[in-house]
Amino acid sequence: MSQPPTRVGTGVGSMPGTDPKQAAAVVNGELDFAHLAELPARGIGADMIGRMSAILVDMPIDASTWGYRLGTRGSSVVRRARGFLGADLDAVEEIWDTAGFIGTGRAVKVQAAGPFTLASSIELTNGHRAIRDPGALRDLTDSAVEGIGTHIAEVRRRLGAEVTVQIDEPMIGAVLDGTVPPLTRLDVIPPLHIADVANSLESMADGIDAPIIIHNCGAPRWDLIARVPGVAHSVDISAATASTVGAAALDAETLDGIGVLLDRGDVLVAGVVPAERERPGLGAETVATSLAAVIDRIGLNRKVLSEKVIVTPTCGLAGASPRWATTALGICAQVGELLATDPDAL
């Protein structure tokens, strides 16, 4: 399976504000490895789950009292979400056309909610979470794979780009631990077996014709990452840049997990730049040096920093100020350049 481009920084997905042209201008202005921005401030149909209602095939999603539920054809949520997605693609296409990027094979990333987060976030018609129903989970996964394939084809048609797909699984920890919020407190949702979750993610990745990043902005699940090789994994390791102690701030499990991931040849998408809280004085050189310290402590050759690492914020930037969102993406891009140039000099 091919890997996403390295020696770069990119964003996770969401951006502040409601203007797709403004968001696209920032993302494509700061990043060589741009991503299709999500703007959840636009309301229902614009967040991560709403975006999936525009991507899924033959599984319409509608609004419910508490969020989203499986609906019927003609859902207003689906129409709204498709309108948002179309506007987002139009904004990027216009920028790429003006810049002369169309047809050049430039890299771009799109995001889609993973099946476990999706099934944990939407209700069946009976009010229960879809994650409780193995058949519903399987149908959502199959629909997502087909819909993501169509989405990739549309982006390639419009931009002539090399597309990477990020599968967002922020609820994967709750799924594995059995802590997904149930319909009632007596209706506990049991944990899913880690081997089944890993097999499903591997099968999904195999069914998508593009490099895959699996993203979890929660606590890294190294037990799962160890079982899903052949894809890039996006994890929050911002503790390495939170203070001057650098790599010493990461626990042994995290260091071991990073080491195993890189040693087997997979790509680490390192969430190292704060997503919401501004860090005055945080600069690209500080972040790059901290990443080098992590690699040194693990005992790997620093060349992996240029060959197997992508730099991102810790999570989406929807909660950030517009100024910090721009700054954070700029830092990620600059760190990517530093790692690409000469990691041994850091």
Side-chain angles (χ1 to χ4, degrees):
M1 184 178 294
S2 58
Q3 70 174 35
T6 54
R7 306 187 174 201
V8 291
T10 191
V12 171
S14 65
M15 291 287 288
T18 60
D19 185 343
K21 290 186 177 181
Q22 183 177 26
V26 171
V27 169
N28 287 273
E30 296 295 333
L31 300 170
D32 288 330
F33 184 22
H35 62 92
L36 182 64
E38 299 163 358
L39 302 174
R42 292 179 294 192
I44 193 161
D47 60 4
M48 176 175 60
I49 304 302
R51 172 60 47 97
M52 285 306 292
S53 69
I55 292 176
L56 292 172
V57 176
D58 293 332
M59 293 201 76
I61 293 178
D62 210 339
S64 72
T65 305
W66 306 109
Y68 293 98
R69 63 176 172 83
L70 289 177
T72 57
R73 293 184 184 276
S75 160
S76 61
V77 170
V78 173
R79 292 195 300 271
R80 182 178 171 89
R82 286 176 177 167
F84 287 146
L85 178 56
D88 295 343
L89 288 170
D90 288 345
V92 176
E93 186 176 7
E94 182 179 344
I95 289 172
W96 279 45
D97 188 34
T98 301
F101 293 156
I102 291 180
T104 62
R106 187 178 177 87
V108 70
K109 179 169 69 69
V110 300
Q111 301 81 225
F116 298 99
T117 292
L118 182 61
S120 298
S121 302
I122 63 174
E123 300 172 356
L124 301 172
T125 54
N126 61 11
H128 289 287
R129 302 278 184 178
I131 195 73
R132 285 189 59 89
D133 185 334
L137 175 60
R138 184 170 55 251
D139 290 345
L140 283 168
T141 303
D142 292 343
S143 177
V145 170
E146 184 177 353
I148 290 169
T150 301
H151 184 37
I152 292 170
E154 174 70 0
V155 175
R156 286 173 176 160
R157 183 187 67 79
R158 283 174 173 251
L159 304 181
E162 291 293 332
V163 180
T164 291
V165 177
Q166 176 181 300
I167 305 298
D168 288 321
E169 283 287 8
M171 295 190 71
I172 200 71
V175 168
L176 292 172
D177 295 337
T179 58
V180 175
L183 179 63
T184 71
R185 65 184 180 85
L186 300 178
D187 182 33
V188 177
I189 298 174
L192 296 187
H193 195 280
I194 191 169
D196 295 333
V197 172
N199 290 339
S200 181
L201 290 174
E202 280 195 286
S203 178
M204 184 178 190
D206 289 342
I208 296 173
D209 180 26
I212 300 295
I213 298 170
I214 296 178
H215 169 70
N216 170 22
C217 56
R221 294 302 301 243
W222 297 110
D223 51 348
L224 178 63
I225 290 171
R227 293 170 175 262
V228 188
V231 301
H233 288 276
S234 172
V235 294
D236 178 353
I237 59 167
S238 56
T241 58
S243 68
T244 56
V245 295
L250 298 179
D251 58 33
E253 182 185 18
T254 297
L255 291 169
D256 288 345
I258 293 171
V260 169
L261 175 67
L262 293 173
D263 196 48
R264 74 189 185 197
D266 289 337
V267 171
L268 170 68
V269 183
V272 287
V273 178
E276 294 189 8
R277 296 183 59 187
E278 298 189 22
R279 281 275 306 281
L282 182 68
E285 188 169 348
T286 300
V287 175
T289 301
S290 297
L291 285 171
V294 171
I295 296 306
D296 290 346
R297 188 175 173 196
I298 293 171
L300 295 174
N301 191 307
R302 283 194 183 183
K303 69 180 182 180
V304 300
L305 289 168
S306 62
E307 296 176 353
K308 296 295 180 181
V309 174
I310 300 171
V311 182
T312 69
T314 55
C315 205
L317 295 166
S321 68
R323 182 181 68 176
W324 179 246
T326 303
T327 300
L329 293 182
I331 291 173
C332 291
Q334 293 161 24
V335 175
E337 292 175 2
L338 288 172
L339 299 184
T341 303
D342 187 4
D344 288 328
L346 296 171

